[in-house]
Each structure stands twice: as C-alpha cells, then as structure tokens.
C-alpha cells in the first residue's frame, strides 16, 4: 500500500514512519493541506492520510477517486472535514482513529481550566519580570463548584472522571447519557439547565450541523455571569463574535480554547513573521482572561504512537478484508 500523508507536522513524522514501515506500507509526506487544489499530489497513491484541517469536499474527493486513490485515512477522531456522502458516491473508503488517547485531550482541558482559573499564564510572565505582586491573580476553588460537560463520549467521560477528584458537582448533556457516568454520580440534564447552573463548562461533543455554534448568543445569555468556557473539541462549536461580546460585557469571566473556528489557515504553522489578518482571533488574544493553544490537546507521546499505529493497521485491515472496524464509509 502506498500512502501519502498530507499536512505533515515535524512532531508526528517519526511515529508515522515507524508504524507504516513496520507493516510494509510505503509512505511519503507533504506539508500542504489536502483540498481540491492540492488533490493532484495524490496521483499514484492508494491512500491519503489526512488531518483535521484538510478539506475533503465533493470536488476534492472526486479528484482523488479519478486519480485512483482508494482510501482516505483520517489520523484523528473527528471527521467533520470529510463529506462522507460524497466519499461513498465516489467509491472511496474512509477510516479514522476513533480513540487514541482520550486522556491526552481530557488532561489538556483540565490544564486549560486550571491555568485560566488560577491565572497561571499571567503569573508565569509576571514572576519572570521580577513582579511578585498577587493583584489580579485571585482564582476560585473548584471544590463544590458545578462543572458542565457537553458531550460525554470517550473524552468527555475521562474529563468527568478527572473532575470528580475535585469533589465538584458534575452536570452533563449528551443525547446518549452514559449509564456508567450516572452510576458515578454525574447528573445528566438538558442543555439549558447545564448552561444556567455551571461555573465551568467544557465542550467535548463533535461538530455537526446540530452542534454548530452550540455556544452562541442564546447559550451565552443563559450562562451564569462569571462562568468560564473551555473548548478542546472543535472551533465551530463556539460563535467567536458572540463570545467576544460576552467577555467584553461581563458575561464569561474566562475563555480557554485549543480550537478555533477559523483555525484551518493558521494553526500548525509558524505565523510569527506574518501580520495575522484574523481580527476576531487577534481581538481574543488581547484579553487577559483568554488562553489560546494551537490544537495541541492530543499531543502526547502515547497519542502520537496510537494514532500512527491505528492508521497503519486500518490500511492493512482494509487491504486484507475490504472492511475495517474503524471505517466510516
Ligand atoms: P466520541 O464520539 O467518543 O464522543 C462524542 C460524544 O458527543 C458522544 O457521546 C455523543 O453522543 C455526544 N454528542 C453528539 N451530539 C451531541 C450534541 N448535540 N450535544 C451533546 N453531545 C453530543 O468523541 P470523543 O473521542 O470523545 O471526541 C470528542 C470530540 O473531541 C471530537 O469530535 C473531536 O472534535 C474533538 N477532539 C479534539 C482533539 C484536540 O486535539 N483538540 C483531539 C481529539 C478529539
């Protein structure tokens, strides 16, 4: 099997080479994103290996199929960037890595929550400049607060379990409530109740037409003044302009995001010598109570190992059996 990896990052390359070569795949790498314009690069390959910001719309998938590509292997869990219906029509199989380390993402969500709540990002800079004043660094105990979790699948469940160590009240919203979490004391409630009662809210649901801008003007108007929002799931879950207004008008008291709705042309690149044209992101980054990380929640050694291994296994499995448990279409 000959596979071409798009959107290659330096941090992942050795993991992919090890896993692919051990299974006898030939693998090559491109740094560019896959989209309808760059699809040509896949000529002569059996599979393309793609990531979160590749854009596999109908035109891109059609071109891949014309070029003889048989499989799209997502090296991530979310698949909102792939038109699955179009993939089916063009006879392409799509596989993904459904779970590689829910701990990596859930632990990053906790890191963001704690950093934001205890102002560690401000303290870090302040102390390095010899300023040991504590003004503006007052946080809140998580103990006995209410934490809302939207989406309790692999990652949301681990996040709930971690938060139980703080002895807080856990509210969850998910169309498929988890019996195991209910038995552990998590209360499943409707979305509005979660929004109204939570001091901290963490998003762990996929981006779908139903969840697009789930945190928008209406949701923000229901949220407790002073609550904090953490998003490690997908940028499109949050209406950025509405969140900026809420931060400006004393609604949210903090926002920490690892994902951003317009991240595709920004994240995973060094933009330090460019003028970043995205006014919303730049506005957000002027707030002292906003933390942005560049889609790194998954970035642990364990996750990178599992992603590479499962992606290589998915391709072998498809080749041998024409089907695979991690297949979407
Ligand atoms: P999962 O499929 O195991 O769980 C998703 C959960 O969301 C399911 O329980 C589902 O029932 C629930 N859900 C579906 N629609 C919902 C809705 N309208 N409201 C509330 N809940 C809803 O997925 P997962 O592995 O836990 O991953 C969750 C998301 O995390 C992924 O979709 C992906 O977007 C994101 N993610 C981000 C990173 C990162 O590095 N930042 C890494 C991996 C995954």
């Amino acid at each position: 099997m000959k596979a071409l990896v798009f959107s290659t990052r330096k941090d992942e390359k050795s993991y992919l080479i090890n896993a692919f070569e051990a299974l006898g795949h030939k693998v090559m790498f491109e740094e560019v994103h896959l989209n309808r314009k760059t699809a040509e690069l896949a000529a002569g390959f059996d599979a393309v290996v793609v990531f979160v910001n590749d854009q596999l719309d109908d035109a891109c998938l059609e071109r891949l199929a014309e070029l003889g590509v048989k499989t799209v292997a997502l090296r991530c869990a979310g698949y909102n960037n792939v038109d699955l219906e179009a993939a089916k029509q063009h006879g392409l199989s799509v596989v993904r890595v459904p779970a590689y380390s829910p701990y990596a993402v859930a632990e990053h969500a906790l890191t963001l929550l704690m950093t934001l709540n205890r102002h560690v990002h401000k303290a870090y800079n302040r102390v390095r400049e010899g300023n040991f004043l504590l003004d503006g660094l007052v946080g809140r105990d998580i103990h006995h607060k209410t934490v809302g979790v939207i989406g309790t699948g692999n990652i949301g469940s681990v996040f709930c379990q971690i938060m139980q160590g703080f002895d807080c009240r856990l509210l969850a919203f998910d169309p498929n409530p988890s019996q195991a979490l209910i038995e552990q004391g998590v209360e499943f409630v409707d979305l509005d109740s979660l929004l109204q009662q939570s001091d901290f809210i963490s998003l762990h649901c996929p981006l779908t037409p139903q969840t697009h801008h789930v945190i928008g003007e209406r949701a923000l108007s229901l949220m407790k003044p002073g609550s904090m929002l953490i998003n490690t799931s997908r940028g499109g879950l949050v209406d950025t302009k509405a969140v900026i207004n809420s931060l400006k008008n004393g609604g949210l008291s903090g926002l920490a995001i690892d994902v951003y709705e317009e991240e595709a042309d920004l994240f995973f690149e060094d933009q330090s010598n460019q003028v970043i044209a995205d006014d919303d992101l730049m506005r957000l980054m002027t707030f002292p109570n906003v933390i942005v990380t560049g889609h790194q929640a998954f970035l642990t050694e364990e996750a990178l190992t599992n992603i590479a291994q499962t992606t290589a296994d998915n391709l072998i499995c498809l080749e041998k059996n024409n089907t695979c448990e991690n297949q979407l279409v």
Side-chain angles (χ1 to χ4, degrees), residues 7 29 73 152 168 183 211 257-258 262 314 319-320 323:
S7 304
F29 296 91
T152 53
C168 50
E183 281 162 21
T211 60
I257 54 174
D258 184 53
E262 301 300 332
N314 284 344
E319 199 174 39
K320 283 194 179 147
T323 174

Side-chain angles (χ1 to χ4, degrees), residues 215-229:
I215 304 297
E217 229 170 85
R218 181 182 169 277
L220 287 158
S221 73
L222 293 176
M223 284 164 71
K224 258 187 168 177
S227 57
M228 290 185 169
L229 177 68

Side-chain angles (χ1 to χ4, degrees), residues 30 43 49 81 118 131 138 150-151 188 200 207 221 250 284 298 300 324-325:
E30 286 289 347
V49 179
N81 53 334
R118 302 303 298 269
N131 177 353
V138 179
I150 300 182
F188 279 83
F200 301 91
L207 177 61
S221 73
L284 272 181
F298 69 98
T300 65
C324 155
E325 63 168 332

Side-chain angles (χ1 to χ4, degrees), residues 50-125:
V50 302
F51 197 50
V52 292
N53 290 326
D54 294 307
Q55 287 302 328
L56 290 95
D57 56 12
D58 184 35
C60 175
L61 291 159
E62 183 178 20
R63 189 68 194 121
L64 290 176
E66 284 167 4
L67 292 167
V69 173
K70 298 277 178 292
T71 306
V72 172
L74 285 147
R75 55 187 196 283
C76 53
Y79 49 87
N80 51 285
N81 53 334
V82 183
D83 183 337
L84 293 181
E85 205 42 54
K88 207 176 187 174
Q89 275 167 21
H90 298 301
L92 288 157
S93 304
V94 181
V95 288
R96 66 168 181 150
V97 184
Y100 39 86
S101 172
Y103 312 101
V105 183
E107 288 169 14
H108 191 73
L110 172 70
T111 306
L112 289 176
L113 190 157
M114 294 303 288
T115 305
L116 189 64
N117 178 43
R118 302 303 298 269
H119 311 286
V120 176
H121 56 302
K122 285 198 272 179
Y124 175 82
N125 289 326

